[in-house]
Amino acid sequence: MDEDAPPAKRPRLSMACNACRRRKVRCDTDYPRCRNCRLRDDECTTTDPKMPQLAVIREWIVQSEPVQEDSTLREPNDGRRATQTLTRSPGSLSTIGRPNIISQPLENSPAVSIPRSHDVGISPAQQPFEMTFNTDAQTNRIKMMGGSSSQCLMKSLDVYLESAQIQPLSHNFRHGMRHAEELSIPLGASLPALPEASLCSRYVSVFFDKIHPIYPLFDIDSMKSTIQHFANVPSVHSVSHEQGPLLVSAYLILSLGSDESSQGITADGTKYLEAAASLLGHVIIMPYLHAIQALLLFTIAYRGRNSDGIGWQTVGMAIRIAYTLGLHRHSHRNPSNQHGVQNKIDRLFHARIWAICCCLEKMMQLESGRPATIVKVDRDHMIGPDQRPPGHDFLQWHMGLAEHQGLICHHIYGHKPGERTAQEILSDTARLDRSLLSWARDIPEEFRPGNDLFCSNHEFHFAALLSIQYYQALIALHRAALVAPTATFHSEVTKHSFDDSSKRRLLAGEAICVSSARSIARLTIELSDRNVHSRILTAGPPLMACIVLGISLIKNAGSRSMAADLELLKACVECTADQFSKSGHNELFIRGVLAIHQQVKSYIDRVSQKEQPRRAESRSQSHYDTNFQAINQKVPETPSLVQQQREAMSYNQSSFSSNQRSDTTASRHLEDNVDNPPPQNEIGNLDTSLNMMAPMINSYTPHFHSNGSELPFDNLDVQELWDWMGNLSDYDNYSYQGSY
């Protein structure tokens, strides 16, 4: 063969990789791994379906010089890109999802302009079921949490902390997994006798007074009579297996009543909860209405001890049994006789049991981000206004909120990547925001979220629960605005046509999140001051409020509200850590909660140290300008002199602005040991550019640049940001240039 002959032509394959074809998603055919495989850490290989035995590779373009756009670049492209990292201007949100867009390189950048194919991006208000993992490899324990959970939001805070060279915090969540997901009970069944009459009566009365109004699971007189029957039997071991679910409900009512009366976890509460848990098998094998009631009581009891993971399992079992009984079939709008019970009162009772299933699951789905069993919640479909009991119907308000929580979960998780445009996502966000506001307006003023709660003390914890869940829903809905750079998010909102009210709310998304977090924090502190520690209130929402306040403080360090928010964060962190401590959580997890305030304060303190010399320089410059004006106040101003002064002022301002950016950037070069901050002279000698590389997912580098005054995510458009948020299971593979 002639030495000058061209090499044999390699087989070319303009097709998706095997993994994308198997998952039936769009592949960008990037080399050596497509974007989907980089994000999922999958092996990216391509074979010809017609000739699987033939080894083929995808072609890709490699160019070292910037090229001009010409007709060849406008031809259909199979998604191939240069091996260099392409850059994109901050705030460009519309490029995702549009083919053949030319990415313009930054000035003096070696990046080339290559046409881009349709990126498989995650829209700003959705996430796939890519979850972050808590793992204990030694004992083979694995649990997943979804993108709307506090744990995933903590990882966004981690990015800001790591950009400032401060130790991240999300790894502490793994220390809380066992308490949240497990209950330690002896293998042998222990069935204690019910307490003596007066104590039993007190526990039962507290339960029906403090918990049952919002979760009306029983006919009160009938259940009190049943408990009295169990108290009078010679031995609970003589109870028949058919009464097993009722005995479990009796134990759980006593457990909740004991803890609620003491405003904390008690020995009696633990004893009766463990007894009920030992009989869980007897509940499952009698899958009827009493089993549903017992399983929902399990959920309330576990949540009251901040063991939400176990509660998630029991509410799921309750819902599956409820479906088999047809509890979901009651309809106020479309009445039907196709029910297992014909009595109207019984139907309404079944409908309220189903409403409790909806309330608990949708509330916990939004908190955990896990897939739910109930597809749709419709309060008005189930029970009409004429069928509601007199007085304050907390369950109806709770179910109305659950309806919105379910819609938000669908908004976040219910769409495939690239299914909606950015405008459609923002429109859906605005629509859901309006519906949440409408729900709040329907609540009586003394219980209404957004107002000070003026209700009576014995109803305060019901109102607090509804308010906290409302604020948590707002945070989940607007969290894109919280995590994204403000200017980037605002530029996207202003690109599209929205009505004035929707645009104002979308532009205020970050402020809505922060205001909601402040409200949760204040309610948490007020509950602590009132010594109200109800079993229906958990420590999860206050923890999320702490994370939101932490992100806001770092993004807006130096704002006028910084000192107040920092004090609020400290108080909320202490109350939250105290709740977790009283429920028996791991000490390392509690230290991680307390570290939120410590790490954020460390960042702010060091920024403040850099602000002091800058302010002194500013005062000195101001004094100099004042003297200069005094000396020259009698000099007649000529046009040329005025122009010279303006030029001098412009130069001084630009110099000061440059120094300010350098100081702000240098303040982010922080050591990870918050207990040993560097001396002032060391901070002053830091390099003036952060030079932070992007978080890397197995050689894929999103455009996380931080130069000058920019914060993390500044060069990430919103769809890329949510692509990252939706794939936090790969977070542990991220790394930054430099060590700390």
Side-chain angles (χ1 to χ4, degrees), residues 42-269:
D42 287 343
E43 181 180 358
C44 190
T45 57
T46 303
T47 58
D48 189 340
K50 297 180 180 180
M51 295 178 290
Q53 73 282 359
L54 180 63
V56 295
I57 62 173
R58 297 188 295 272
E59 282 191 354
W60 67 98
I61 300 173
V62 179
Q63 293 174 314
S64 58
E65 300 273 347
V67 296
Q68 298 295 326
E69 179 182 354
D70 57 27
S71 59
T72 62
L73 292 178
R74 293 191 176 274
E75 295 175 359
N77 185 272
D78 60 356
R80 298 166 292 179
R81 303 186 206 173
T83 55
Q84 293 96 332
T85 301
L86 299 180
T87 58
R88 191 173 306 134
S89 60
S92 175
L93 294 104
S94 57
T95 58
I96 296 296
R98 293 194 295 176
N100 301 329
I101 297 295
I102 306 300
S103 296
Q104 299 296 333
L106 296 177
E107 186 177 358
N108 300 325
S109 170
V112 298
S113 297
I114 299 297
R116 301 180 57 199
S117 68
H118 179 89
D119 280 324
V120 182
I122 307 303
S123 55
Q126 79 171 54
Q127 294 186 27
F129 289 113
E130 302 281 351
M131 300 187 182
T132 183
F133 290 83
N134 287 322
T135 60
D136 186 344
Q138 294 181 350
T139 59
N140 199 29
R141 287 176 167 89
I142 301 175
K143 282 293 179 180
M144 300 184 296
M145 300 295 289
S148 59
S149 64
S150 296
Q151 185 164 347
C152 286
L153 191 61
M154 178 72 87
K155 290 188 173 181
S156 299
L157 174 59
D158 276 355
V159 172
Y160 282 101
L161 292 174
E162 287 189 300
S163 74
Q165 306 280 326
I166 297 179
Q167 184 70 26
L169 296 167
S170 61
H171 63 279
N172 294 303
F173 274 89
R174 70 179 186 269
H175 301 301
M177 177 177 64
R178 290 199 180 186
H179 183 90
E181 304 288 348
E182 303 174 18
L183 178 66
S184 178
I185 59 174
L187 293 178
S190 173
L191 302 180
L194 273 63
E196 51 91 15
S198 61
L199 188 59
C200 181
S201 177
R202 180 160 68 90
Y203 290 164
V204 171
S205 296
V206 169
F207 170 83
F208 283 110
D209 184 48
K210 296 292 188 180
I211 296 176
H212 196 262
I214 197 168
Y215 297 123
L217 284 164
F218 304 97
D219 176 84
I220 298 177
D221 293 335
S222 176
M223 193 61 203
K224 285 184 175 180
S225 176
T226 299
I227 294 174
Q228 184 62 38
H229 164 71
F230 289 137
N232 293 331
V233 297
S235 172
V236 291
H237 290 277
S238 63
V239 174
S240 68
H241 76 281
E242 293 183 353
Q243 291 184 305
L246 280 173
L247 178 60
V248 169
S249 293
Y251 277 141
L252 291 170
I253 288 173
L254 293 172
S255 173
L256 286 165
S258 174
D259 290 348
E260 191 74 19
S261 63
S262 299
Q263 296 291 292
I265 295 177
T266 61
D268 276 355

Side-chain angles (χ1 to χ4, degrees), residues 166-406:
I166 297 179
Q167 184 70 26
L169 296 167
S170 61
H171 63 279
N172 294 303
F173 274 89
R174 70 179 186 269
H175 301 301
M177 177 177 64
R178 290 199 180 186
H179 183 90
E181 304 288 348
E182 303 174 18
L183 178 66
S184 178
I185 59 174
L187 293 178
S190 173
L191 302 180
L194 273 63
E196 51 91 15
S198 61
L199 188 59
C200 181
S201 177
R202 180 160 68 90
Y203 290 164
V204 171
S205 296
V206 169
F207 170 83
F208 283 110
D209 184 48
K210 296 292 188 180
I211 296 176
H212 196 262
I214 197 168
Y215 297 123
L217 284 164
F218 304 97
D219 176 84
I220 298 177
D221 293 335
S222 176
M223 193 61 203
K224 285 184 175 180
S225 176
T226 299
I227 294 174
Q228 184 62 38
H229 164 71
F230 289 137
N232 293 331
V233 297
S235 172
V236 291
H237 290 277
S238 63
V239 174
S240 68
H241 76 281
E242 293 183 353
Q243 291 184 305
L246 280 173
L247 178 60
V248 169
S249 293
Y251 277 141
L252 291 170
I253 288 173
L254 293 172
S255 173
L256 286 165
S258 174
D259 290 348
E260 191 74 19
S261 63
S262 299
Q263 296 291 292
I265 295 177
T266 61
D268 276 355
T270 302
K271 177 176 67 176
Y272 295 122
L273 177 59
E274 290 179 352
S278 68
L279 294 173
L280 182 58
H282 292 273
V283 175
I284 304 299
I285 63 174
M286 295 295 295
Y288 305 108
L289 182 63
H290 295 321
I292 298 172
Q293 294 168 313
L295 288 167
L296 293 175
L297 277 178
F298 268 123
T299 302
I300 298 169
Y302 289 139
R303 279 180 57 82
R305 293 174 174 239
N306 291 305
S307 295
D308 300 67
I310 320 177
W312 179 254
Q313 311 302 328
T314 54
V315 73
M317 290 187 282
I319 292 167
R320 288 187 178 276
I321 298 174
Y323 273 125
T324 66
L325 271 61
L327 266 61
H328 63 294
R329 292 185 55 82
H330 178 82
S331 174
H332 166 71
R333 293 178 181 171
N334 303 301
S336 171
N337 291 324
Q338 296 180 351
H339 292 279
V341 294
Q342 300 303 319
N343 184 284
K344 184 177 180 180
I345 295 177
D346 290 340
R347 287 186 189 178
L348 290 176
F349 180 68
H350 284 192
R352 296 181 76 83
I353 297 293
W354 178 251
I356 297 171
C357 292
C358 295
C359 292
L360 290 173
E361 188 188 57
K362 292 307 174 184
M363 177 171 61
M364 298 176 74
Q365 182 188 12
L366 196 64
E367 292 176 350
S368 67
R370 291 171 174 171
T373 305
I374 299 173
V375 177
K376 183 180 180 181
V377 177
D378 190 339
R379 174 186 61 177
D380 295 329
H381 176 83
M382 295 292 297
I383 302 175
D386 59 324
Q387 299 171 334
R388 298 171 189 172
H392 299 140
D393 193 354
F394 294 103
L395 177 61
Q396 286 299 319
W397 303 334
H398 199 345
M399 190 179 182
L401 182 56
E403 182 177 351
H404 298 292
Q405 289 170 325

Side-chain angles (χ1 to χ4, degrees), residues 22-39:
R22 184 173 61 253
R23 296 176 58 230
K24 296 182 180 180
V25 297
R26 189 183 297 271
C27 180
D28 64 5
T29 69
D30 202 1
Y31 187 87
R33 292 202 295 177
C34 72
R35 187 165 185 252
N36 290 335
C37 290
R38 289 194 300 265
L39 293 175

